[in-house]
Amino acid sequence: MATPLPRDPIADARLNWERHGWSDVAAPMAAITAIMRTQQILLARIEGVLKPFGLTFARYELLALLSFARSGALPMNKASALLQVHPTSVTNAVDRLQGAGLVIRSPHPTDGRTTLIELTQEGRTLAKRATAALNSDVFAQSGFAEQDVDQLIRILGTFRRNAGDFSE
Amino acid sequence: MATPLPRDPIADARLNWERHGWSDVAAPMAAITAIMRTQQILLARIEGVLKPFGLTFARYELLALLSFARSGALPMNKASALLQVHPTSVTNAVDRLQGAGLVIRSPHPTDGRTTLIELTQEGRTLAKRATAALNSDVFAQSGFAEQDVDQLIRILGTFRRNAGDFSE
DNA sequence: TCCAAACCCTTGGATGTCCTAGTATATTGC
DNA sequence: GCAATATACTAGGACATCCAAGGGTTTGGA
């Protein structure tokens, strides 16, 4: 992985698709494969930046979400919905964040089924610092041209809406 | 996740970024987050299609790669490089594919360090069937407009080249 | 020639994701 | 009011990914 390949493996896959008579779906196949690979690259960068803070991307996302909540607290099911991950993934993340003293679980005042996740002061501070690091080391150097960023937001926004992520 | 959210959570995150004075990186943040979420949606679709074949995406990718190799066999390190995943991930995938009788390990004829992965007849057949299913159920209904597919291929291709995936 | 460095693969451990199932609490409908 | 249904969270298991470390094989320079 250290050394670049001589040829683009996804472009090669597309050629293979075309050679096998699947030309009609070769382009979407290439686009989807490229999304998978790009996600992998971005995730690695993000995790690299977060590692010194003792955070993973999953835990960071939860911290960031809480830091934007007016009260600094959210029900777990709400977090699961907003982060669009499985409830058990939230349970897992909260377990670890709580172990690190960054959040605490507290009972919901009126609904006995619900558990609230609340930022500790330490968690709030760490979220701020981690966000600053991501902003400067990842987002400010995304490697996408400005126009392309807009294109991505538009294209993927439409896709996500069609996939049922949101109705708006 | 079953019910669409009333608002786009990524657009909301972008607003939060702007409100906190990080307007300069709000757009790339949104684009990157959208890529992460889109990958998640696509992966779920793909795995759903592959499940009846007893395959995961990781295993399918390896099978497909082998099916396009002229000899039907590849060294493990070559597969690792082309799929751009860690060597241990290939070991893991090969273990399971071999257990299912879809590939076999064989020693490299001249290099004692290297192990070749080879498709069995059964593996070749399954790869064909799985590809046909992905073509019709995922790639042919990607949900991306044709123009957008081209945009994605272009934008992400540039990104991957800059990230060091290939030199071409 | 021969040993150190480089390379290849595997094992073991840490994380994250999802699914299924189980327990507890709310809500709904009769 | 109470049973049936729905909702919320957690426990356990299957997979995948990466990293670190270890053992075997090659290669290359002294």
Side-chain angles (χ1 to χ4, degrees):
Chain A
M1 210 126 64
T3 309
L5 293 168
R7 305 164 49 75
D8 177 357
I10 294 180
D12 281 349
R14 181 174 179 176
L15 288 177
N16 279 325
W17 244 249
E18 290 168 350
R19 270 197 277 273
H20 281 72
W22 306 319
S23 298
D24 51 331
V25 294
M29 181 283 297
I32 288 173
T33 305
I35 289 171
M36 309 299 273
R37 173 59 186 156
T38 300
Q39 185 267 352
Q40 191 182 20
I41 294 169
L42 289 169
L43 181 60
R45 283 190 196 172
I46 291 170
E47 302 253 289
V49 170
L50 292 177
K51 193 171 194 109
F53 298 99
L55 292 175
T56 62
F57 185 49
R59 297 178 211 168
Y60 167 76
E61 278 196 296
L62 186 50
L63 275 192
L65 183 64
L66 290 172
S67 74
F68 290 125
R70 303 206 174 279
S71 61
L74 277 179
M76 296 195 54
N77 64 330
K78 197 89 177 181
S80 169
L82 290 173
L83 296 176
Q84 309 191 267
V85 295
H86 200 276
T88 54
S89 297
V90 177
T91 295
N92 185 316
V94 171
D95 283 350
R96 298 173 192 282
L97 287 172
Q98 189 166 33
L102 303 172
V103 306
I104 55 172
R105 282 179 166 91
S106 58
H108 189 286
T110 64
D111 189 334
R113 298 168 300 180
T114 299
T115 300
L116 293 176
I117 327 165
E118 202 173 334
L119 271 183
T120 63
Q121 189 50 52
E122 195 182 345
R124 187 176 294 281
T125 303
L126 192 64
K128 270 203 184 74
R129 293 200 296 131
T131 298
L134 284 181
N135 281 342
S136 66
D137 298 350
V138 178
F139 301 143
Q141 315 172 41
S142 71
F144 293 118
E146 248 187 72
Q147 292 177 322
D148 291 345
V149 166
D150 295 336
Q151 289 288 310
L152 285 173
I153 291 174
R154 176 185 64 75
I155 295 170
L156 302 181
T158 301
F159 175 85
R160 291 183 297 111
R161 187 190 306 111
N162 291 340
D165 267 11
F166 57 97
S167 47
E168 174 188 279
Chain B
M1 207 127 67
T3 310
L5 293 167
R7 304 165 48 75
D8 178 357
I10 294 180
D12 282 349
R14 181 174 180 176
L15 289 177
N16 278 325
W17 245 249
E18 290 166 352
R19 270 198 277 273
H20 282 73
W22 308 318
S23 297
D24 51 331
V25 294
M29 182 284 296
I32 288 173
T33 305
I35 289 171
M36 309 299 273
R37 174 58 186 154
T38 301
Q39 186 267 353
Q40 190 181 22
I41 295 168
L42 289 169
L43 182 59
R45 284 189 194 172
I46 290 170
E47 302 251 290
V49 170
L50 292 177
K51 194 172 193 108
F53 298 100
L55 292 175
T56 62
F57 186 48
R59 297 179 211 168
Y60 167 77
E61 278 195 295
L62 186 50
L63 274 192
L65 183 64
L66 290 173
S67 74
F68 290 127
R70 303 207 173 279
S71 62
L74 277 179
M76 296 194 56
N77 65 330
K78 197 87 176 185
S80 170
L82 290 173
L83 296 176
Q84 309 189 266
V85 295
H86 200 278
T88 53
S89 298
V90 176
T91 295
N92 186 315
V94 171
D95 283 350
R96 297 173 193 281
L97 288 172
Q98 189 166 32
L102 303 173
V103 305
I104 55 173
R105 281 178 167 92
S106 57
H108 189 285
T110 64
D111 189 334
R113 297 169 300 181
T114 300
T115 299
L116 292 176
I117 328 165
E118 202 172 334
L119 271 183
T120 63
Q121 189 50 51
E122 195 182 342
R124 186 175 295 281
T125 302
L126 192 65
K128 271 205 183 74
R129 293 200 296 132
T131 298
L134 284 181
N135 281 341
S136 66
D137 298 350
V138 179
F139 301 142
Q141 315 172 42
S142 70
F144 293 119
E146 246 186 75
Q147 292 177 320
D148 291 346
V149 166
D150 294 337
Q151 289 287 308
L152 286 173
I153 291 174
R154 176 185 64 76
I155 295 170
L156 303 181
T158 300
F159 175 85
R160 291 183 297 112
R161 187 188 307 110
N162 291 340
D165 266 12
F166 57 96
S167 47
E168 174 190 283

